Amino acid sequence: MELANKKTAKSKIKRNLLPYYYLVPAFLIMGVITFYPLIYQLIISFTNFETQHLLLGLNDPDLKFIGFKNYIDIFTGALPVENFNFFRVLEFNFWWAFSNVMLHVPAGVLIATILNTEGLWLKKIYRALYILPVVVPPIVVATVWRNIFDEQYGAMNQFLTVIMSLLGQTDPVRLRWLTEFSPPIPGFLPGAPLHSRITR
């Protein structure tokens, strides 16, 4: 009986820990791209870190601990930045956040309520117009990228043509980026086409 209870308890613990196992990759990525830079910036904020220290970072022998001097300079406006005033910037940020919440959220709720009103004429047209700002930017981005990788006049092929002309090749580069099946660089990713062939 005790053995069965122990097995049940272990299985419950494993089941309860399973969601956290799935979160480990996300935590690792967040640690690399978010937490580490934040901690690093906090550390260098207490030093005289400048662009000349970027190469060696915290190992730079010229790097010195200066305590709260950077923070004091920010509050007193002693930074070498023209027209910088910390409290003016802080006031602007508070006002921007307050106005966003007080105006945009009620406006969004009001518009959503109106567009869901039964019997509203041309409701579909209003919804389409309202969603256009969300839909148009991805279309523009896709069009730009398609033009960049155009076979004849794309910026990517023109750039590669310039590079190849410096290496002595006179023929223009005409890579079919959007339809090519074989890898453009021989020997790179052997046996792995850019996308799978459709067999009929």
Side-chain angles (χ1 to χ4, degrees):
M1 185 70 178
E2 290 183 6
L3 185 61
N5 290 336
K6 285 182 180 179
K7 286 183 178 180
T8 305
K10 284 183 179 179
S11 64
K12 284 183 179 179
I13 292 172
K14 286 183 179 179
R15 190 166 59 251
N16 291 334
L17 288 177
L18 187 61
Y20 297 101
Y21 292 147
Y22 289 126
L23 290 174
V24 168
F27 281 132
L28 291 175
I29 294 172
M30 290 293 292
V32 172
I33 66 175
T34 303
F35 302 131
Y36 171 73
L38 282 175
I39 295 171
Y40 188 81
Q41 289 175 11
L42 180 64
I43 293 171
I44 66 174
S45 69
F46 295 102
T47 67
N48 62 338
F49 195 94
E50 295 180 359
T51 53
Q52 62 197 24
H53 303 123
L54 284 173
L55 184 61
L56 298 178
L58 296 176
N59 296 323
D60 197 311
D62 296 331
L63 200 66
K64 296 178 182 178
F65 177 78
I66 59 173
F68 289 95
K69 184 180 183 305
N70 289 326
Y71 294 96
I72 294 171
D73 289 346
I74 289 172
F75 285 112
T76 58
L79 287 177
V81 179
E82 188 176 356
N83 297 325
F84 176 78
N85 186 315
F86 172 75
F87 294 102
R88 183 173 60 85
V89 174
L90 186 65
E91 180 186 354
F92 175 81
N93 278 282
F94 272 120
W95 173 247
W96 183 86
F98 179 77
S99 62
N100 257 336
V101 173
M102 295 303 293
L103 294 176
H104 292 179
V105 173
V109 172
L110 179 64
I111 292 171
T113 305
I114 292 172
L115 291 180
N116 280 325
T117 303
E118 292 198 12
L120 180 66
W121 289 5
L122 306 175
K123 184 190 297 186
K124 292 183 179 179
I125 294 176
Y126 298 147
R127 286 180 175 177
L129 291 174
Y130 188 69
I131 204 69
L132 270 179
V134 180
V135 176
V136 170
I139 295 174
V140 173
V141 171
T143 305
V144 169
W145 277 103
R146 184 171 182 176
N147 290 337
I148 287 173
F149 290 103
D150 183 75
E151 178 184 351
Q152 296 291 329
Y153 308 106
M156 183 60 69
N157 279 345
Q158 291 181 11
F159 172 73
L160 292 177
T161 300
V162 172
I163 298 297
M164 295 306 291
S165 66
L166 295 176
L167 299 175
Q169 180 176 324
T170 56
D171 296 333
V173 176
R174 290 287 184 263
L175 284 176
R176 299 168 59 213
W177 295 94
L178 303 176
T179 56
E180 189 71 39
F181 289 96
S182 57
I185 304 173
F188 185 69
L189 296 177
L194 295 181
H195 55 83
S196 59
R197 290 179 181 273
I198 300 175
T199 55
R200 294 182 181 179

